[in-house]
Amino acid sequence: MKMMVMQRHARLMMFFVMSLVKVSSAWSTPQVPCFFIFGDSLVDNGNNNALLTLARANYMPYGIDFSEGSSGRFTNGRTMVDILSRLLGFRNYIPAYANARTPSEYLRGLNFASGAAGIREETGDNLGQHYSFMEQVENFGNAVRVIRRIFRGNTTRVSDHLSQCIFFSGMGSNDYLNNYFMPNLYSSSYEYSPKTFASLLLEEYTRQLTNVYNLGARKVAVIGVGQIGCIPYELARYNTNDNNNGTQSHCNNKINKAIAIFNKGLVKMVNRFNDQFPGAKFIYVNTFESSKDLVENASSYGFEVIDKGCCGVGRNNGQITCLPLQQPCQDRRKYLFWDAFHPTEFANIIYAKKAYSSTSKSEVYPVNIRQLVMA
Ligand SMILES: *[C@@H]1O[C@H](CO)[C@@H](O)[C@H](O)[C@H]1NC(C)=O
Ligand SMILES: *[C@@H]1O[C@H](CO)[C@@H](O)[C@H](O)[C@H]1NC(C)=O
Ligand SMILES: *[C@@H]1O[C@H](CO)[C@@H](O)[C@H](O)[C@H]1NC(C)=O
């Protein structure tokens, strides 16, 4: 009897220890071999640092709450992909392509994102140099060549490896912000209706993502464009009597409607990839929808200011972005926006968690990133 109890204890103990091992290995071993990122300033982590551009954030107070200081991230702390990389079990952040050097970095994944970048080539030119989506995809092609060399030309190994990686693609914001809704510098809004413009963007987006697929990507999370009509920059620009009385419920509807057309097309694009491209597992992450939750339930998330940047100049701290050495707000945890355009780290944490584990079909479709890992 005693013996049996002891054996049982031993077995339980063993089970306990093994579960501990399992838990700790879940923490230290990434769930996927690699994580690659395409995007704009929402997820750029330093690719623009050496470029001649106004779209740069490698100065204080950007990064004021980040362990590595002003790295080029356009927020006070971590970006959405920094947090996603932790949720995926990576111990280190995914490096900027511009700074990546070692073979292990190439194998683990790279961040190609570039502030001011758009799907259209001319997008963001008003701010200076950047890597457009097409150039980001070309850089991914260069990275795949490096990976092929690391695997000694064994293309089976390359495609096995890449087919397990998670790809994050967040493009389109600047095609509205720094193109379509900047009519004094860009002619697109005179030439195209919102519907035609969205179709043109989707055509080009599909073409580039097809290249990404052909280079070996299978698991791709396509991130929707957020409610740009509600960011401090647009609230400051369109602070007209008829559509703004100081609350975020009075966002610029014209902008949000145009974006909704594009986002709807993204869902169709994701479905098409899944239907027509063998092995493709694309998902759509609806940050437009998620941001409604952050605003509607702001107080339950602890946000007190949703219409002003924590750091910036002018109306809503939204007319000019956060300048070098400017004093930001003290209580960054209470702000939804860090500057005129970009969410605070705390908002990024919520967006990342939603993308990773939301069970709401309106936020993640058809599955979340955690399920995409296992797909
Ligand atoms: C390529 O790698 C695969 C998987 O590791 C292996 O089975 C195969 O033999 C390799 N092919 C060549 C030509 O080395
Ligand atoms: C803002 O205006 C709308 C109507 O245009 C009104 O419903 C809303 O209550 C107003 N909000 C505030 C805070 O005044
Ligand atoms: C706000 O929170 C409630 C309760 O969790 C939820 O039912 C509702 O859908 C949220 N609002 C939005 C816009 O997501």
Side-chain angles (χ1 to χ4, degrees):
M1 185 66 194
K2 207 164 192 180
M3 197 61 193
M4 272 175 67
V5 170
M6 275 180 61
Q7 273 180 356
R8 210 170 107 81
H9 274 177
R11 269 206 307 275
L12 273 176
M13 205 54 193
M14 192 70 170
F15 177 74
F16 184 62
V17 168
M18 278 167 61
S19 332
L20 272 183
V21 168
K22 229 176 176 172
V23 167
S24 67
S25 70
W27 279 104
S28 57
T29 313
Q31 296 154 22
V32 286
C34 34
F35 182 30
F36 288 94
I37 295 131
F38 302 103
D40 51 33
S41 59
L42 290 169
V43 293
D44 185 353
N45 61 345
N47 284 309
N48 280 14
N49 289 357
L51 300 186
L52 204 61
T53 175
L54 291 171
R56 246 166 65 169
N58 54 341
Y59 57 81
M60 272 303 194
Y62 284 91
I64 187 169
D65 300 314
F66 190 64
S67 56
E68 296 160 27
S70 303
S71 58
R73 287 166 171 80
F74 291 76
T75 182
N76 59 310
R78 291 168 294 167
T79 67
M80 182 179 175
V81 297
D82 291 329
I83 296 146
L84 275 173
S85 71
R86 288 292 157 90
L87 291 171
L88 289 168
F90 290 98
R91 227 183 276 216
N92 301 313
Y93 301 123
I94 301 302
Y97 176 68
N99 303 328
R101 296 289 175 270
T102 68
S104 69
E105 288 179 316
Y106 275 76
L107 290 179
R108 228 165 27 87
L110 300 165
N111 184 337
F112 302 99
S114 170
I119 296 167
R120 286 174 73 90
E121 278 299 293
E122 80 276 13
T123 289
D125 281 349
N126 53 303
L127 294 167
Q129 295 179 327
H130 56 268
Y131 300 101
S132 68
F133 187 48
M134 191 174 85
E135 290 168 306
Q136 293 181 32
V137 173
E138 283 168 7
N139 286 338
F140 174 55
N142 295 334
V144 172
R145 275 187 281 283
V146 173
I147 292 171
R148 206 176 292 148
R149 279 204 297 278
I150 296 169
F151 286 150
R152 297 174 198 285
N154 186 329
T155 49
T156 313
R157 276 187 77 191
V158 175
S159 44
D160 277 355
H161 179 76
L162 291 176
S163 70
Q164 297 174 58
C165 306
I166 298 291
F167 288 78
F168 176 108
S169 183
M171 296 301 308
S173 298
N174 285 313
D175 295 294
Y176 288 95
L177 203 47
N178 286 302
N179 188 332
Y180 197 75
F181 288 106
M182 198 166 269
N184 50 335
L185 294 175
Y186 294 90
S187 59
S188 50
S189 63
Y190 306 113
E191 293 169 34
Y192 310 116
S193 70
K195 201 165 163 232
T196 308
F197 188 67
S199 303
L200 290 170
L201 290 179
L202 289 158
E203 244 171 61
E204 181 58 21
Y205 205 1
T206 301
R207 192 163 26 241
Q208 293 304 336
L209 284 177
T210 302
N211 292 339
V212 173
Y213 170 91
N214 287 336
L215 286 162
R218 293 296 176 270
K219 298 181 173 187
V220 181
V222 176
I223 317 303
V225 174
Q227 298 196 72
I228 287 175
C230 306
I231 65 175
Y233 173 76
E234 298 298 351
L235 295 180
R237 279 180 84 198
Y238 294 92
N239 196 4
T240 53
N241 295 333
D242 58 42
N243 78 353
N244 192 318
N245 55 4
T247 65
Q248 214 196 25
S249 53
H250 299 278
C251 304
N252 184 289
N253 273 328
K254 202 171 137 197
I255 298 181
N256 284 348
K257 270 188 191 155
I259 286 165
I261 299 171
F262 174 74
N263 282 344
K264 233 182 186 170
L266 288 182
V267 180
K268 285 196 192 137
M269 182 183 81
V270 160
N271 285 336
R272 254 196 328 271
F273 271 103
N274 289 333
D275 291 345
Q276 296 170 9
F277 290 70
K281 294 169 188 115
F282 280 47
I283 68 167
Y284 171 60
V285 176
N286 192 346
T287 46
F288 192 97
E289 196 60 32
S290 300
S291 73
K292 286 187 193 161
D293 180 31
L294 270 69
V295 168
E296 200 172 288
N297 296 311
S299 62
S300 67
Y301 284 115
F303 293 120
E304 289 177 11
V305 186
I306 58 172
D307 61 344
K308 280 189 194 61
C310 163
C311 186
V313 176
R315 202 185 298 137
N316 297 64
N317 275 355
Q319 284 176 298
I320 297 178
T321 197
C322 183
L323 296 171
L325 301 179
Q326 202 185 333
Q327 190 67 42
C329 69
Q330 288 296 310
D331 244 342
R332 294 180 282 279
R333 171 63 188 78
K334 293 183 180 153
Y335 280 70
L336 180 54
F337 288 97
W338 159 250
D339 64 11
F341 306 94
H342 307 99
T344 52
E345 174 184 61
F346 188 67
N348 284 333
I349 292 173
I350 303 170
Y351 286 123
K353 285 185 175 165
K354 281 176 179 287
Y356 185 71
S357 56
S358 173
T359 51
S360 155
K361 284 273 171 291
S362 62
E363 292 186 332
V364 283
Y365 169 86
V367 297
N368 59 38
I369 292 180
R370 187 166 57 190
Q371 292 163 318
L372 182 62
V373 166
M374 295 181 292

